[in-house]
Amino acid sequence: AEFFSYFWKSVCRSPLGMSRGQILDEDISASSQWSDSTAAKYGRLDCEEGDGAWCPEIAGEPENMNEFLQIDLRSLHFITLVGTQGRHAGGIGNEFAQTYKIKYSRDGSRWISWRNRQGKEVIEGNRNAYDIVLKDLEPPIIARFVRFMPVIDHSMNVCMRVELYGCEWLDGLVSYNSPLGQQMTLNGHHIYLNDSVYDGAMGYSMTEGLGQLTDGMCGLDDFTHSHVYNVWPGYDYVGWTNESFLSGYVEIMFEFDRTRNFTTMKVHCNNMFSRRVKTFQKVVCYFRSELDWEATPISFSPVMDDVNPSARFVTVSLYNHMASAIKCQYYFSDIWMMFSEITFQSDTAMYNTTLAPPKTGPPIRDDPTHKVDDSNTRILIGCLVAIIFILVVIIVIILWRQVWQKMLEKVSRRMLDDELTASLSIQSETFTYNNNNSPSSVSSEQESNSTYERIFPLGPDYQEPSRLVRKLPEFSQTSEDTGDVQEGVPHYAEADIVNLQGVTGGNTYAVPALTMDLLSGKDVAVEEFPRKLLTFKEKLGEGQFGEVHLCEAEGMQDFMDEDFSFDVIENQTVLVAVKMLRADANKNARNDFLKEIKIMSRLKGPNIIRLLAVCMSSDPLCMITEYMENGDLNQFLSRHEPEGMIALLSNAPTVSYSNLHHMASQIASGMKYLSSLNFVHRDLATRNCLVGKNYTIKIADFGMSRNLYSGDYYRIQGRAVLPIRWMSWESILLGKFTTSSDVWAFGVTLWEMLTFCKEQPYSQLSDEQVIENTGEFFRDQRRQIYLPQPPMCPDPVYKLMLSCWNRNTKERPSFQEIHQTLLDLD
Ligand SMILES: *[C@@H]1O[C@H](CO)[C@@H](O)[C@H](O)[C@H]1NC(C)=O
Ligand SMILES: *[C@@H]1O[C@H](CO)[C@@H](O)[C@H](O)[C@H]1NC(C)=O
Ligand SMILES: *[C@@H]1O[C@H](CO)[C@@H](O)[C@H](O)[C@H]1NC(C)=O
């Protein structure tokens, strides 16, 4: 909730170019000017050109004066902050605006007066001629044109220098039309679910505006509260009741700036089912690309969640439909439906920008004296072509290095698609520890060489695979000849890729050949559990090859060895997670399942989930692992609040900072154990940590099979899924999974914990933008975006997170160090 807007505030606030000049003089205009030397173009913050500021010509009665300084940003922008300054002119000037108002427009014709969340239009401006005063815009503005309107009285002359801060509005949403939000009566109190900041027309319905649904602020889990100070209950949400919609749905139409290629829509919904509010049960969307609505809509039914009352983003895939308008019908699943935010992810359509219709009529700004005849036009075009050609050559030369970098990145991405897909889809059903324990077959190794060299002929950063394979300890054990036992931890995941690249044909499940002892089961020290003693309770997840169930098991204590500290009373049932392989799973899936059992059976750490028993005598094959009574850490934390005001007001259960810290230390300790065994987890996140009594934590891995978290994974070409928001840059771009990339994921996990899992990491970035951001980490030109410091996060903890996200893997701390740092911070 809060953290969402926190994100905008920390990231989307770059100066848009008044002071630095990216906004051109011709895009700055004004209602009037005192003199040529105080024209609009001199109204740039922190600049001293001309007479040092824009000053309007003040004539007539101040009351009817509507002087303004106007900026055209050329495209829609999300504006979060404004800065103003007076005219100083090296000490000569002393004019400034004590108060001002802002108007904005998206199309240049309809102008809207900005008001803050309490409805106030006037903004406090400057106190002197030289200091810059910055004001946060709450709500932020989405506009192309902005006007600063000084409030003018008799007492003094007014001059202004200004700047806008924000970022480009990539959604491209220009307006939404929707039925009016309604009013709920709850225990005699009114909850106003109207669109509090809608800037369009409000008659019987809302038309041609933007508002609450695009203001970058998500509602709290409890819709009666708001983190905005001094507003009415229900402020954050727009809500409707099914009593007024006999059709059973609410229809909202979205208009965009141009035809776009849509990937997803994210709808932030309340789900306080105890108050009869739920996410929509179905959505049907229609697309309009040219003038007509397409006949076939898409439809999507999210999984209803009756367990977790948190507000959440529901992601709807729009399957790359091309449209300039989208009309969606959201179906009620209970009496109330409430939204606080709707965002769209799209690529802008190419043809719209390149195939603009040729302009006819008078060229150059309607000025009749500038008419040119036909032959001149031809000469002009010839010159232009020549100039463009020269420019292109120059640009090519200048940008050679960047192009080269981009190519590398592209190649890496292709690898991500082709090889990593294979590598990761293997894990989609299995625990993602590495299979470093298998001598790879010679033929696959040879084939992989060529692929590897094709992709990475580049230098010392990348290792030749055959050497890598030799470097693996278990490989060197089997072939005693290699004397060069290497320094440092080998990159197990690279070993995976090496093996996988040898695979030809469509078998994505081909993994390094399993060792015979595994298949014969001789190595697996786990006992068979009688299937009939398992009682099904709940499905935790499902994937292509199987399901994970939460079950109660009787008599499990007989299956636990002595060193196992599991306080079970004799003959009581215990909760266990049962991972089952479908009976019809293919041979490779079965092999992976066996391999996973083998790996799991070797892991015995106090902070690692234990494999308790298996059912192998008949199909379906099962593995039984511990489960912890408080479920996974993500759900656990989202049910809780930090100790403080919000918790006091909402009566929510709390987790103290010291317990949070205790849990983080346990995760670090569990990871320290895994890394000591050279296991790479690859999917560390709060969703994969389980919470027991007294805040004990154990690290598990449910793979990517749980519907609840499907939004955390990025699907490549409909095949593999990757937890990209938790992945290090080198895992995404180069397919390297190492203990250092686990360290990166630990940083993200820590961040999730300190935000109480109220928000997905980088929730404001689309998956594609997250991958682009990864490219920025790779290029390292200070354009990468880091997760912001959560409000309750102490500086040293944030410093620890940042060190986990160090570009250089060698500079990231080890889990040993992380664990120690956390203990020292206690
Ligand atoms: C929404 O409802 C509140 C409470 O009645 C009211 O003060 C406010 O003006 C309404 N806002 C709009 C935009 O209608
Ligand atoms: C939309 O984007 C997708 C993925 O970028 C692409 O495959 C598809 O061809 C695009 N559709 C159109 C009509 O351009
Ligand atoms: C509204 O939803 C409730 C619960 O789903 C249902 O019982 C009721 O009949 C619905 N009312 C209308 C008018 O559809």
Side-chain angles (χ1 to χ4, degrees), residues 379-566:
I379 294 169
L380 195 68
I381 289 173
C383 290
L384 280 177
V385 168
I387 291 170
I388 287 170
F389 179 77
I390 293 166
L391 279 178
V392 165
V393 169
I394 293 171
I395 288 170
V396 163
I397 294 169
I398 292 173
L399 296 187
W400 181 246
R401 273 185 68 93
Q402 277 104 314
V403 170
W404 180 248
Q405 284 193 345
K406 282 236 170 77
M407 270 166 56
L408 170 62
E409 196 185 321
K410 264 202 193 122
V411 167
S412 310
R413 282 208 200 165
R414 203 180 314 138
M415 179 175 138
L416 176 76
D417 268 20
D418 294 339
E419 280 85 15
L420 194 59
T421 300
S423 152
L424 276 126
S425 58
I426 285 166
Q427 306 155 17
S428 60
E429 254 313 294
T430 58
F431 283 47
T432 54
Y433 306 114
N434 261 280
N435 28 59
N436 53 316
N437 47 357
S438 48
S440 51
S441 76
V442 174
S443 68
S444 72
E445 202 183 308
Q446 278 167 353
E447 273 183 54
S448 68
N449 279 353
S450 57
T451 325
Y452 217 83
E453 275 157 19
R454 221 173 46 236
I455 296 176
F456 297 122
L458 296 166
D461 280 356
Y462 306 104
Q463 308 213 27
E464 191 197 322
S466 53
R467 275 194 42 221
L468 253 172
V469 172
R470 244 182 279 126
K471 277 178 154 190
L472 300 174
E474 297 198 35
F475 188 86
S476 18
Q477 269 161 33
T478 51
S479 56
E480 297 288 10
D481 59 338
T482 49
D484 59 332
V485 177
Q486 76 305 330
E487 342 57 64
V489 183
H491 299 300
Y492 290 97
E494 287 173 335
D496 280 355
I497 290 164
V498 168
N499 286 305
L500 285 158
Q501 283 174 346
V503 176
T504 48
N507 189 357
T508 50
Y509 257 81
V511 281
L514 287 169
T515 50
M516 289 315 288
D517 64 322
L518 174 57
L519 289 172
S520 62
K522 152 178 117 202
D523 216 45
V524 181
V526 226
E527 286 183 72
E528 179 79 15
F529 188 79
R531 201 181 290 269
K532 59 178 188 298
L533 297 181
L534 292 173
T535 317
F536 173 81
K537 275 183 70 89
E538 189 186 319
K539 185 153 94 182
L540 293 174
E542 117 186 84
Q544 198 184 351
F545 295 102
E547 294 184 350
V548 185
H549 291 175
L550 180 62
C551 294
E552 273 172 354
E554 275 174 60
M556 187 48 91
Q557 41 291 354
D558 302 340
F559 291 82
M560 299 169 175
D561 39 7
E562 340 54 71
D563 62 322
F564 193 65
S565 54
F566 203 45

Side-chain angles (χ1 to χ4, degrees), residues 308-310 630-632 634-641 652-653 758:
N308 182 351
S310 325
N630 284 319
D632 74 64
N634 188 291
Q635 287 181 291
F636 179 78
L637 284 179
S638 18
R639 283 196 301 268
H640 288 75
E641 293 287 345
K758 300 287 190 271

Side-chain angles (χ1 to χ4, degrees), residues 535-811:
T535 317
F536 173 81
K537 275 183 70 89
E538 189 186 319
K539 185 153 94 182
L540 293 174
E542 117 186 84
Q544 198 184 351
F545 295 102
E547 294 184 350
V548 185
H549 291 175
L550 180 62
C551 294
E552 273 172 354
E554 275 174 60
M556 187 48 91
Q557 41 291 354
D558 302 340
F559 291 82
M560 299 169 175
D561 39 7
E562 340 54 71
D563 62 322
F564 193 65
S565 54
F566 203 45
D567 44 337
V568 200
I569 305 151
E570 195 69 26
N571 290 330
Q572 258 205 330
T573 59
V574 292
L575 277 184
V576 292
V578 178
K579 196 181 252 192
M580 283 191 286
L581 189 69
R582 278 194 225 295
D584 58 354
N586 65 24
K587 193 158 158 251
N588 288 312
R590 289 175 88 89
N591 284 351
D592 281 345
F593 199 75
L594 294 172
K595 188 168 49 152
E596 184 181 354
I597 289 176
K598 181 185 176 186
I599 293 168
M600 282 294 291
S601 67
R602 299 198 328 205
L603 297 180
K604 295 185 177 171
N607 299 111
I608 305 291
I609 280 291
R610 290 279 291 268
L611 177 64
L612 300 173
V614 293
C615 309
M616 307 288 276
S617 56
S618 63
D619 274 335
L621 303 186
C622 295
M623 70 177 98
I624 303 172
T625 61
E626 309 174 68
Y627 196 76
M628 312 272 279
E629 58 205 42
N630 284 319
D632 74 64
L633 180 58
N634 188 291
Q635 287 181 291
F636 179 78
L637 284 179
S638 18
R639 283 196 301 268
H640 288 75
E641 293 287 345
E643 283 177 339
M645 265 330 265
I646 295 182
L648 271 180
L649 292 174
S650 64
N651 228 346
T654 61
V655 173
S656 71
Y657 178 76
S658 77
N659 284 329
L660 207 58
H661 182 268
H662 176 51
M663 293 194 281
S665 313
Q666 292 176 76
I667 299 176
S669 164
M671 291 307 296
K672 189 169 89 179
Y673 170 76
L674 285 186
S675 65
S676 74
L677 296 175
N678 285 332
F679 277 117
V680 179
H681 187 292
R682 299 200 201 203
D683 193 13
L684 179 61
T686 53
R687 62 180 173 277
N688 278 327
C689 297
L690 294 180
V691 187
K693 272 201 195 67
N694 297 327
Y695 305 100
T696 46
I697 295 277
K698 295 196 181 192
I699 299 170
D701 189 340
F702 292 98
M704 295 130 194
S705 54
R706 288 193 292 175
N707 289 329
L708 189 55
Y709 298 113
S710 60
D712 289 345
Y713 294 95
Y714 176 61
R715 197 164 281 281
I716 300 171
Q717 298 174 348
R719 290 187 295 163
V721 282
L722 296 173
I724 51 170
R725 287 160 203 271
W726 283 258
M727 278 164 72
S728 66
W729 71 268
E730 75 275 8
S731 303
I732 293 181
L733 295 182
L734 306 175
K736 284 191 186 192
F737 288 84
T738 60
T739 294
S740 308
S741 55
D742 276 353
V743 166
W744 181 295
F746 177 84
V748 181
T749 307
L750 198 56
W751 183 90
E752 287 187 276
M753 293 178 72
L754 282 146
T755 56
F756 274 69
C757 301
K758 300 287 190 271
E759 190 201 329
Q760 198 186 36
Y762 307 108
S763 64
Q764 199 43 48
L765 299 187
S766 66
D767 287 342
E768 288 70 24
Q769 286 167 328
V770 169
I771 292 173
E772 270 163 36
N773 192 33
T774 303
E776 296 298 348
F777 270 102
F778 171 70
R779 283 187 285 276
D780 201 22
Q781 290 163 347
R782 293 169 177 276
R783 285 202 300 257
Q784 62 269 47
I785 298 171
Y786 291 88
L787 290 168
Q789 179 169 4
M792 66 172 295
C793 175
D795 288 343
V797 177
Y798 189 56
K799 223 176 109 198
L800 179 65
M801 287 180 204
L802 290 175
S803 69
C804 295
W805 304 323
N806 207 309
R807 180 184 188 276
N808 186 343
T809 50
K810 296 202 180 68
E811 282 168 29

Side-chain angles (χ1 to χ4, degrees), residues 180 183 190-198 202 206 232-233 235:
L180 289 179
Q183 212 183 88
H190 293 304
I191 313 286
Y192 300 94
L193 298 163
N194 58 5
D195 194 326
S196 327
V197 296
Y198 193 70
M202 306 246 267
M206 302 191 280
W232 55 88
Y235 181 88

Side-chain angles (χ1 to χ4, degrees), residues 105-141:
S105 172
R106 287 186 277 274
D107 56 8
S109 62
R110 194 169 69 87
W111 289 88
I112 303 154
S113 299
W114 179 85
R115 293 167 195 277
N116 74 5
R117 294 194 184 273
Q118 281 77 29
K120 201 170 148 222
E121 268 184 59
V122 174
I123 303 173
E124 293 294 318
N126 297 89
R127 291 290 168 109
N128 57 46
Y130 40 89
D131 284 331
I132 296 174
V133 173
L134 297 176
K135 289 284 170 187
D136 273 298
L137 293 179
E138 276 293 343
I141 289 174

Side-chain angles (χ1 to χ4, degrees), residues 3-18:
F3 310 115
F4 182 76
S5 53
Y6 187 84
F7 178 88
W8 274 118
K9 285 196 202 127
S10 59
V11 174
C12 181
R13 46 198 294 145
S14 321
L16 296 179
M18 287 295 280

